[in-house]
Amino acid sequence: MHKETIRRMLEDKEIFADVVNALLAAGTELFSSEDFRNLKMDFSQESVFENETIGNVIKESDYAIFQILICDGTETEFVKKYLPVYAYEQVGEIYLRKLEDRMIPVITWVLYLGVEHWDTSESIRTALEVSEEICPFVNDYQIHIFRVSQFNLDQCRMFKSRFRVVAEDLVRTRLSKKNM
């Protein structure tokens, strides 16, 4: 599944709410599509990640800002290793731009759409070479990765929108490759 197709799909507030509810609340409806507003962020600052193709959808509610990073396994080794740094950079930028407003949490996670095993760093500490002596003093940032193809078909039922078809397709593709 192409990242850009999924990014455009998640621009739909109904699908976005469905994905948030499925992944963060196991399908319980915490948010409706009416709860989300588009939040356009121009991440035009210079970044070592500026030439990387990571899908990004951001929406704001009264309670939190939700950011979904979309990866599909075609990312470079650089991104795989430093994805937590990229996420941290994005979250920092969002907070900086919202300083004048009421501060609310930014919830970021990665939606992995590949069917192959995807080995990536899940925290800044795992991306760095940190000695045991200084490790307790190194600030960490953990990212949450939802590997959709690793779900089972029952978990796909958490999705109520047409995203369920995407999730089921990814799971079936993985299972068919496994059975070959």
Side-chain angles (χ1 to χ4, degrees):
M1 191 67 46
H2 193 268
K3 282 185 268 199
E4 184 58 22
T5 303
I6 298 301
R7 189 197 63 72
R8 283 194 306 271
M9 181 185 273
L10 289 171
E11 288 293 333
D12 181 298
K13 291 191 295 184
E14 198 167 299
I15 295 172
F16 189 88
D18 178 49
V19 170
V20 168
N21 288 327
L23 297 179
L24 297 186
T28 303
E29 189 173 329
L30 294 179
F31 296 96
S32 76
S33 60
E34 308 305 314
D35 292 324
F36 293 107
R37 300 175 297 282
N38 289 329
L39 184 61
K40 294 292 181 194
M41 299 290 295
D42 177 24
F43 294 105
S44 57
Q45 73 200 33
E46 283 191 36
S47 169
V48 295
F49 295 99
E50 66 188 331
N51 294 321
E52 300 294 342
T53 55
I54 300 170
N56 193 349
V57 179
I58 305 170
K59 296 207 182 287
E60 183 175 24
S61 76
D62 290 338
Y63 313 104
I65 295 170
F66 294 87
Q67 178 183 40
I68 301 176
L69 302 176
I70 306 162
C71 297
D72 64 3
T74 62
E75 293 75 27
T76 64
E77 289 301 314
F78 181 79
V79 168
K80 287 181 194 175
K81 182 171 184 180
Y82 296 112
L83 189 58
V85 176
Y86 175 79
Y88 188 63
E89 175 185 69
Q90 298 270 303
V91 168
E93 182 79 12
I94 293 168
Y95 277 128
L96 285 173
R97 296 199 184 174
K98 299 299 278 180
L99 281 176
E100 301 296 319
D101 297 338
R102 179 177 72 99
M103 291 297 286
I104 56 177
V106 177
I107 299 171
T108 299
W109 75 83
V110 176
L111 193 59
Y112 174 62
L113 303 171
V115 293
E116 302 298 325
H117 175 72
W118 194 53
D119 192 25
T120 186
S121 299
E122 294 191 25
S123 71
I124 289 180
R125 283 189 192 161
T126 61
L128 305 174
E129 295 177 21
V130 181
S131 70
E132 284 184 37
E133 296 80 23
I134 65 168
C135 191
F137 304 101
V138 175
N139 290 330
D140 201 8
Y141 184 76
Q142 180 102 20
I143 58 174
H144 304 282
I145 301 175
F146 292 96
R147 293 170 172 86
V148 180
S149 71
Q150 301 303 309
F151 289 7
N152 61 48
L153 289 172
D154 285 339
Q155 289 173 299
C156 293
R157 290 188 188 98
M158 293 185 302
F159 300 106
K160 310 290 189 261
S161 69
R162 67 179 196 242
F163 191 82
R164 177 189 288 184
V165 175
V166 172
E168 289 173 343
D169 185 53
L170 290 168
V171 170
R172 285 189 179 104
T173 301
R174 174 186 55 86
L175 293 174
S176 69
K177 286 186 174 195
K178 183 179 167 183
N179 292 330
M180 292 180 133

